[in-house]
Amino acid sequence: MRAITQHAFGNPDVLEVAEVPKPVPIPSEVLVRVHAASINPVDTYVRSGAFPLLGEPPFILGWDISGVVEEVVPGVTRFGVGDEVFGMPFFPRAGSAFADYVAVPSRQLAMKPVNLTHIEAASVPLAGLTAWQALVDTAGVTEGDRVLIHGGAGGVGHFAIQIAKARCAHVTTTASSAKHEFVKDLGADEVIDYRTADFARRLRETGVDVVLDAVGGYGDASIAALRPGGRFITIVERTDRDLARRIEAAGRRFAGVTVEPDHTGLERLAALATNGALRPHIQQTFPLAESAEAHRLVESGRTVGKIVLTV
C-alpha cells in the first residue's frame, strides 16, 4: 500500500511516497480503507523534529482518518465490513494515518455522520476532540457561561466556537480582522482583533468563566478577563507550572489539556454534525502524494479551519 514516510527530521521535503506492507489488524481492531486524512499542526512539529513525539524516523505521520471498514477481527462487535467510520487512532503514539489503510482499535472510532463527506469527517477528530475535551469534559461549559476562545478561526478554535454555542454559552473569540466574518458565521457573539485591541481590557467589566487558549502565550493576559474562580485551559502550554501557579495565585483555575482517543466524544461530535450544529470548514485539500505542500500551508499559520489529504 502507499504511505507517506520520512527517514529524517526536516522541512516538508523529507516526506515521500513509499510502498509499505498493509497493516494486519489484531484482536480488538478493524482495518480501515482510508478515504481522507487531515493534517494538524502537531504533524508538522513531529516531522520537523521540534516535537519528537514518535522518536527517530522512519515513521508514518497522521492521526485523523475517515474511511470504510474493510476487515473486522472476530470479537469486534461495534462495526461491520462496509461501515463508514472516522476517528483518531492511537494518539499520541503513531497513528500512521497518511496511508491507504490503517488498523485501528474499534473503540477509537465512531460511525461517520451521514451528512458529512469523508473529507469533512476526517477534519474533525483531533481538533474536534481537543475542543470537546477542553470545553465539555474539563470546563463543563453550560448554558449562560461566558467563554473566550483564542484563535477562533483555527482548526481547534472553529470547532470550539460551535461546541460552546451548542451548549448555549456566550462566545467571544480573538481573530484577525480578515477572519471576523468567518468566526461570526460560526456563531461567535463577539470578536476581538488581537492585533489592535486589548481583549483583557474589553472583557474586564463583564468577565468570562472559561478561557480556551488554542494559540499559546495568552495565559497572563487572560487573568484579568477571567472571573474569580474561572478556568484557563491551554492546549499549548500544558506543562507550564509557573504559568499554572500565577493563574492559581490570582484565584483562577488552570488546566492543560492533551487530546485522547475517545469514541464517546466522537459520537457526541457526530450528533452535533448530524443536527447541523457542527460544520467543519475545509480550506483546501491535497492528494496524498502532495503531503509536503499541505504541510507548508499548515506551517504558514494562515489557514482557516482545516487542511485535508485525499487518499
Side-chain angles (χ1 to χ4, degrees):
M1 71 169 188
R2 295 176 309 152
I4 300 299
T5 64
Q6 65 180 91
H7 290 81
F9 293 123
N11 65 35
D13 292 330
V14 302
L15 299 173
E16 58 186 69
V17 180
E19 286 292 325
V20 301
K22 182 192 294 187
V24 177
I26 62 175
S28 82
E29 293 184 343
V30 298
L31 183 68
V32 176
R33 174 68 169 92
V34 179
H35 283 224
S38 77
I39 298 178
N40 296 282
V42 66
D43 294 300
T44 69
Y45 305 150
V46 174
R47 184 214 73 233
S48 69
F51 186 31
L53 186 65
L54 303 181
E56 293 290 324
F59 47 67
I60 300 170
L61 287 171
W63 284 278
D64 282 339
I65 64 166
S66 182
V68 177
V69 174
E70 185 156 300
E71 180 181 343
V72 177
V73 174
V76 171
T77 60
R78 299 189 69 239
F79 302 111
V81 172
D83 284 344
E84 295 186 321
V85 295
F86 75 128
M88 183 190 71
F90 295 111
F91 190 86
R93 294 185 172 87
S96 304
F98 298 164
D100 287 326
Y101 294 91
V102 179
V104 189
S106 71
R107 291 188 177 272
Q108 295 182 4
L109 297 169
M111 295 292 287
K112 181 183 76 65
V114 295
N115 61 329
L116 295 188
T117 66
H118 282 294
I119 289 172
E120 292 169 326
S123 76
V124 174
L126 194 148
L129 282 174
T130 299
W132 182 271
Q133 290 168 12
L135 294 177
V136 181
D137 295 343
T138 302
V141 168
T142 190
E143 183 175 359
D145 283 345
R146 300 183 72 88
V147 177
L148 168 63
I149 297 165
H150 290 299
V156 172
H158 92 290
F159 287 127
I161 290 171
Q162 297 175 80
I163 290 168
K165 289 305 298 180
R167 299 183 72 81
C168 301
H170 180 281
V171 177
T172 301
T173 190
T174 57
S176 63
S177 58
K179 299 173 182 177
H180 281 201
E181 288 306 313
F182 171 69
V183 294
K184 287 179 181 177
D185 186 55
L186 295 174
D189 298 289
E190 184 177 0
V191 187
I192 299 173
D193 189 340
Y194 63 90
R195 294 173 175 172
T196 61
D198 183 340
F199 73 88
R201 180 176 297 176
R202 283 268 296 271
L203 298 173
R204 186 175 288 116
E205 183 174 343
T206 57
V208 297
D209 302 288
V210 176
V211 173
L212 172 58
D213 185 2
V215 180
Y218 284 100
D220 291 300
S222 295
I223 292 173
L226 273 168
R227 294 169 173 169
R231 190 183 290 273
F232 176 82
I233 300 173
T234 175
I235 65 172
V236 180
E237 296 160 306
R238 300 178 300 274
T239 61
D240 191 334
R241 297 315 306 165
D242 288 336
L243 174 61
R245 281 190 286 270
R246 292 193 298 273
I247 288 174
E248 289 161 5
R252 281 71 172 168
R253 293 175 291 167
F254 174 93
V257 170
T258 299
V259 67
E260 304 175 50
D262 174 17
H263 74 273
T264 301
L266 285 173
E267 288 163 355
R268 300 291 293 276
L269 292 169
L272 290 179
T274 300
N275 293 333
L278 190 76
R279 294 176 290 121
H281 178 80
I282 313 301
Q283 177 172 323
Q284 192 169 344
T285 64
F286 293 84
L288 184 67
E290 295 180 14
S291 295
E293 291 305 311
H295 271 239
R296 289 188 180 94
L297 181 55
V298 172
E299 286 181 318
S300 73
R302 298 191 298 271
T303 57
V304 175
K306 295 297 297 291
I307 305 299
V308 178
L309 299 174
T310 56
V311 183

